[in-house]
Amino acid sequence: MKIVNIEHLVDKFNAGECSAEEEQILKGWLHQYNMEGSTGLSDEDLFSAQTSMLEAIEAVRFPKAKKLKLWPRIAAIAAVVATITIGAGLFYYNQSKLTDQSSQTAYKSDIAPGKVGATLTLANGKKIVLSEASKGELAEEAGISITKTADGQLLYELNKQGQTTENKINILSTAKGETYRVRLPDGSLVWLNAASSLTYDFALNEIGERRVKLSGEAYFEIAKDKAHPFVVSTDRQQVRVLGTHFNINSYTDEPVTATTLLEGSVQVLAGGKERLLRPGQEAKLGENGLAVVEANIALATAWKDGNMAFRKTDIQSVLRQISRWYNIEVKYQEKVPDYTITGEVSRGESLSSVLKILELSEVHFELKGRKLTILP
């Protein structure tokens, strides 16, 4: 499944600039949201009915708002769909039904998506490239067995009693284009996003606090242990929990560190301030300090569920995510475009699928090898 931005296509349609493929997309979109044409109405009657529906919906949702200026004809349905279905004019379509030789040959240097992989650095300095390691036991240190499972997960298990594991630091790191999952010695489960690292001690269960250090982004499902609070440190903040599910985005090239809570409660400490989050909230730490807002859970955890999702996301942030997952370099030929992107695509798709979303959002670029240049 692919995603296009209907709003941009409607603008091009009204200006007489739609390509044959784009007109096919608009036609398919029209039929999809009108029961594949089974109503028996003409296109003109359908547009009229949808326009009336939009006005009724808007009257309920925004009773004091001014009457919306509707696009002519096809735009009326676009606004209805944006209101009640998927937002921002997004339309999912089956690319196999649309054939266009020019689009099929536009990405001769296409790039495959990222994969499951990481590097584990043991306390003795030994490095294990996990994508190359066979399943089974990888190492044993101080009574802790480190195993790679059949599904590619890293697993720590205590197999000998009475041995100290203090000061046995491990580092799990992903490069661009890699993601990995680890079950820590205390039973907590962590998903690590691309270009990230997690530093932790074998002695998570034995010391007063279970402390880990994060660089980049990770999703945590913390094993409950009231006697040993779990603390995640980044370069900007600390997050303290007992047992909960949450996501932290702390990439150094992002202007904001975001901590998103799904279950339980977490305490965020930064800059001398402290905030307690409840499920559905997000702590944002930026140049203006620490603030708590309502979270978009699906957006924050899309990467963990195998997707890239954007909701009015500025083009720089979008391209940083693309750069990390597809391991490419992004350059701007002139000033950074003032665009926002709304869309969603599977992280299993090749780079060209993502670039097509950018194209439909009027972003122009040139791809040579692993260098993506954003054009004026």
Side-chain angles (χ1 to χ4, degrees):
M1 299 291 283
K2 307 297 180 184
I3 302 170
V4 298
N5 193 312
I6 288 296
E7 290 176 315
H8 289 289
L9 290 194
V10 169
D11 290 339
K12 294 180 72 173
F13 176 84
N14 289 335
E17 299 174 353
C18 269
S19 67
E21 179 190 13
E22 289 166 339
E23 288 187 5
Q24 281 185 292
I25 293 172
L26 287 173
K27 183 178 179 181
W29 168 79
L30 169 63
H31 286 303
Q32 177 178 333
Y33 287 104
N34 289 282
M35 297 179 289
E36 302 294 337
S38 61
T39 60
L41 299 176
S42 67
D43 284 356
E44 293 294 339
D45 289 339
L46 285 172
F47 285 130
S48 177
Q50 292 283 13
T51 303
S52 299
M53 184 190 301
L54 171 67
E55 292 173 350
I57 292 170
E58 291 301 320
V60 172
R61 293 182 67 215
F62 308 107
K64 297 181 180 179
K66 295 181 179 179
K67 185 177 181 180
L68 296 177
K69 180 180 180 181
L70 302 179
W71 291 319
R73 300 179 58 205
I74 193 169
I77 298 182
V80 172
V81 174
T83 301
I84 64 174
T85 309
I86 44 183
L90 294 181
F91 169 55
Y92 292 69
Y93 71 96
N94 190 330
Q95 192 180 35
S96 64
K97 295 181 181 179
L98 304 171
T99 57
D100 183 355
Q101 292 300 320
S102 62
S103 65
Q104 291 175 2
T105 59
Y107 304 98
K108 294 181 179 179
S109 59
D110 203 0
I111 294 175
K115 60 184 181 180
V116 174
T119 299
L120 175 64
T121 303
L122 302 175
N124 60 10
K126 180 182 177 181
K127 294 182 182 293
I128 301 174
V129 179
L130 297 174
S131 59
E132 300 174 0
S134 301
K135 67 178 181 180
E137 186 173 297
L138 302 178
E140 182 180 328
E141 290 189 289
I144 296 289
S145 174
I146 307 172
T147 304
K148 179 181 177 181
T149 63
D151 63 354
Q153 177 180 312
L154 197 62
L155 180 64
Y156 285 77
E157 292 181 299
L158 180 65
N159 57 15
K160 291 182 181 179
Q161 299 295 330
Q163 294 196 37
T164 178
T165 57
E166 292 182 1
N167 301 318
K168 294 292 185 178
I169 301 298
N170 278 194
I171 302 174
L172 182 66
S173 57
T174 54
K176 282 187 173 182
E178 290 185 330
T179 185
Y180 213 80
R181 186 173 57 166
V182 57
R183 187 171 291 280
L184 296 173
D186 70 328
S188 295
L189 192 58
V190 183
W191 284 258
L192 201 60
N193 204 351
S196 303
S197 68
L198 187 71
T199 303
Y200 47 94
D201 196 313
F202 273 12
L204 279 178
N205 296 51
E206 300 178 8
I207 56 181
E209 292 181 330
R210 296 173 286 169
R211 284 188 170 271
V212 301
K213 184 177 181 180
L214 172 68
S215 174
E217 184 170 21
Y219 176 86
F220 296 83
E221 291 186 355
I222 303 304
K224 290 181 171 61
D225 185 347
K226 293 183 178 180
H228 302 91
F230 196 100
V231 180
V232 183
S233 298
T234 71
D235 63 336
R236 300 176 185 174
Q237 67 176 27
Q238 284 192 358
V239 176
R240 183 182 176 91
V241 303
L242 293 177
T244 185
H245 297 182
F246 60 99
N247 189 85
I248 299 179
N249 183 327
S250 65
Y251 288 109
T252 56
D253 59 353
E254 294 291 350
V256 172
T257 294
T259 303
T260 310
L261 181 63
L262 284 76
E263 295 181 15
S265 64
V266 300
Q267 188 180 52
V268 181
L269 302 94
K273 293 185 177 181
E274 179 181 313
R275 295 289 186 271
L276 185 66
L277 300 186
R278 68 170 187 268
Q281 290 187 326
E282 183 172 76
K284 290 192 170 185
L285 177 62
E287 60 180 10
N288 294 324
L290 185 62
V292 175
V293 300
E294 292 302 309
N296 185 327
I297 299 296
L299 190 63
T301 61
W303 71 269
K304 177 249 183 186
D305 296 326
N307 298 307
M308 301 181 72
F310 315 110
R311 298 292 183 271
K312 295 184 179 180
T313 309
D314 68 87
I315 186 65
Q316 285 180 287
S317 179
V318 170
L319 289 170
R320 284 193 293 268
Q321 292 185 50
I322 292 172
S323 171
R324 294 181 199 119
W325 185 236
Y326 291 93
N327 190 18
I328 61 172
E329 178 185 6
V330 176
K331 296 289 186 181
Y332 298 90
Q333 194 173 78
E334 293 183 7
K335 67 178 183 178
V336 179
D338 185 20
Y339 285 124
T340 61
I341 303 293
T342 295
E344 185 169 334
V345 66
S346 168
R347 298 217 308 180
E349 296 283 353
S350 63
L351 178 61
S352 62
S353 298
V354 183
L355 296 183
K356 286 174 183 175
I357 294 179
L358 299 186
E359 283 183 322
L360 290 165
S361 298
E362 304 300 327
V363 177
H364 305 286
F365 54 83
E366 179 182 68
L367 177 64
K368 289 185 177 180
R370 289 191 173 273
K371 183 176 180 180
L372 182 69
T373 301
I374 308 303
L375 305 174

